[in-house]
Amino acid sequence: MKRILAITASAVVGFALAVSAVPAGAAPSHERPRISKEPFGSLEDGTKVDRYTLTNGRGVRVRIITYGGIIQTLETPDRHGRRANIVLGFPTLKDYVDLNGGPYFGAVIGRYANRIAKGRFTLDGVTHQLAVNDGENSLHGGLKGFNTKVWKAQPFKGRDSVGLRLQYTSPDGEENYPGTLKTTVTYTLTTDDELRVYYHATTDKATIVNLTNHSYFNLAGEGTGTVYDHRLTLNASRYTPVDETLIPTGELAPVKGTPFDFTRPHTIGERIRVDHPQLLIGQGYDHNFVLDRRRPGALTEAARVTEPRTGRVLKISTTEPGVQFYSGNFLDGSFAGTSGRVYRQGDGFALETQHFPDSPNHPNFPSTVLRPGETFDSTTVYAFSAAR
């Protein structure tokens, strides 16, 4: 059985998110991990949505809703052990539904994360026309992507973990994608302070797949202001420049000598207003970075982010070939988050591990084609700590 994305044996359950939950000198808690369930409202057709709270007994707590597989909140300690929610989100189901995705806070994105030019791709000689929902392009799965679906949930407990397994079957032709795609997303919170999210998918007909999570982070705490003082390092010596509609040109351009060079740490806001054509197009950073990997499919460090006031550090590793760095350019103060504070430009950043945007239309990009008998598997590791 062929896999279109290789994973390491040690990374069987992907998208890990590890947190140093105990400050230096403090005695660790020995509470057992636990998971609880509560209602989170209903859709207009009566479909019920639940919220699961995963707690690892060490100060890390994650809330996930079955609508969109959304990570609604993620609480972790700072250097003093003070816990805060560090992801952007909404307080109610109605907020998520009314925006029909909107900023895609914390959601599972599919079938195809990021953009496809003019919503069109050709596979095995057949041209498929997707819905366009981002100007003339298709974005994040179309009008009703995976972020708008209610996923079947199965909680589970392990020896040193609790988790939530989410499943959704996308029928052949949904959003005009070919093939029935069966997708499983598994979140696991461990006593090692890891939140693991593993993506797995199969199809009965040739199709394209690109799955990710669209969490926005603010390591100082949700609703506390911009992330422009966060220091970012990206393990990427190239990126994919875009045209005026944010579609890649096909070039893999070197970052050296440009504001896109994060191979050494820079604050997010340090060069965001530099007069560079790519920054003007995106109104900031909204670009895919090509990761420097030892070998395809290997778990590779992608990014490191540090926040000076709280000491929180985020390190991301992934088996994916790219990461979309988005600096929250289109947050415009038109809605409030879980804290009740409105989100303005730059109040959060996203690092979406993924295959490249518009890959089906660029033969030189890593393939996103999935065929019957193959499996899609993807692993990303988000490791959090707090520097003194």
Side-chain angles (χ1 to χ4, degrees):
M1 181 178 292
K2 177 184 174 185
R3 293 174 181 260
I4 67 167
L5 289 178
I7 57 174
T8 61
S10 62
V12 166
V13 203
F15 184 108
L17 197 155
V19 183
S20 176
V22 182
S29 168
H30 295 289
E31 296 180 20
R32 294 184 62 83
R34 60 189 185 275
I35 183 170
S36 61
K37 172 186 174 183
E38 62 186 326
F40 196 69
S42 300
L43 302 181
E44 286 187 357
D45 64 2
T47 302
K48 295 181 179 180
V49 174
D50 295 316
R51 179 170 69 177
Y52 288 82
T53 300
L54 286 66
T55 306
N56 76 341
R58 291 173 46 87
V60 182
R61 182 166 59 192
V62 185
R63 290 188 174 96
I64 301 165
I65 63 175
T66 53
Y67 180 81
I70 290 169
I71 297 175
Q72 185 202 17
T73 66
L74 170 60
E75 299 173 16
T76 65
D78 66 5
R79 60 162 61 99
H80 302 295
R82 294 177 297 214
R83 191 169 63 187
N85 174 31
I86 59 168
V87 296
L88 277 56
F90 292 126
T92 71
L93 176 62
K94 186 176 186 299
D95 293 318
Y96 290 104
V97 173
D98 285 353
L99 281 171
N100 189 29
Y104 303 92
F105 290 145
V108 175
I109 303 299
R111 291 187 188 190
Y112 197 95
N114 219 307
R115 296 174 174 87
I116 295 180
K118 302 185 187 304
R120 191 178 304 133
F121 69 95
T122 300
L123 178 59
D124 296 337
V126 178
T127 298
H128 300 270
Q129 179 62 59
L130 310 173
V132 294
N133 60 328
D134 182 56
E136 62 184 23
N137 303 318
S138 181
L139 175 67
H140 291 333
L143 299 175
K144 294 287 184 179
F146 284 6
N147 60 294
T148 68
K149 307 303 180 181
V150 177
W151 295 63
K152 293 181 180 179
Q154 179 185 2
F156 61 89
K157 290 185 178 181
R159 180 178 177 182
D160 298 304
S161 64
V162 290
L164 187 66
R165 185 173 296 108
L166 301 175
Q167 295 179 316
Y168 175 70
T169 298
S170 177
D172 183 17
E174 184 173 63
E175 289 294 325
N176 290 336
Y177 286 94
T180 298
L181 189 76
K182 295 182 177 180
T183 303
T184 301
V185 178
T186 305
Y187 294 93
T188 306
L189 180 63
T190 75
T191 54
D192 291 330
D193 301 332
E194 296 179 345
L195 174 64
R196 303 174 177 266
V197 186
Y198 166 56
Y199 304 88
H200 173 82
T202 60
T203 184
D204 63 357
K205 187 184 298 184
T207 190
I208 59 172
V209 184
N210 190 22
L211 304 177
T212 192
N213 179 276
H214 207 299
S215 288
Y216 291 62
F217 293 95
N218 186 325
L219 301 185
E222 177 268 339
T224 60
T226 76
V227 295
Y228 290 159
D229 63 346
H230 289 45
R231 294 181 65 82
L232 170 66
T233 307
L234 290 172
N235 180 28
S237 56
R238 296 174 296 169
Y239 77 109
T240 53
V242 295
D243 64 18
E244 291 78 6
T245 69
L246 297 175
I247 293 293
T249 62
E251 180 185 8
L252 305 181
V255 300
K256 188 174 182 180
T258 77
F260 292 84
D261 189 351
F262 287 94
T263 55
R264 307 184 87 174
H266 292 272
T267 63
I268 290 174
E270 180 180 341
R271 301 166 297 175
I272 200 167
R273 307 210 184 276
V274 167
D275 185 12
H276 187 283
Q278 287 293 304
L279 291 176
L280 295 175
I281 288 173
Q283 299 183 37
Y285 296 101
D286 192 5
H287 295 76
N288 171 67
F289 285 76
V290 180
L291 297 178
D292 296 332
R293 300 187 295 170
R294 296 184 302 276
R295 64 183 186 276
L299 191 65
T300 302
E301 182 170 331
R304 180 184 294 266
V305 189
T306 61
E307 200 287 314
R309 289 172 288 170
T310 64
R312 289 191 179 95
V313 180
L314 164 64
K315 185 180 77 170
I316 302 176
S317 302
T318 186
T319 57
E320 290 292 291
V323 58
Q324 182 87 5
F325 169 42
Y326 174 53
S327 52
N329 314 323
F330 303 113
L331 300 176
D332 60 5
S334 60
F335 41 75
T338 48
S339 62
R341 302 183 182 96
V342 298
Y343 296 146
R344 295 186 173 88
Q345 187 178 49
D347 281 358
F349 68 89
L351 289 164
E352 306 152 56
T353 55
Q354 57 170 16
H355 271 53
F356 304 169
D358 200 33
S359 288
N361 296 312
H362 296 279
N364 60 317
F365 287 0
S367 175
T368 54
V369 174
L370 180 67
R371 298 184 182 278
E374 300 175 349
T375 62
F376 174 98
D377 296 276
S378 180
T379 298
T380 298
V381 178
Y382 289 68
F384 282 73
S385 59
R388 291 182 62 83

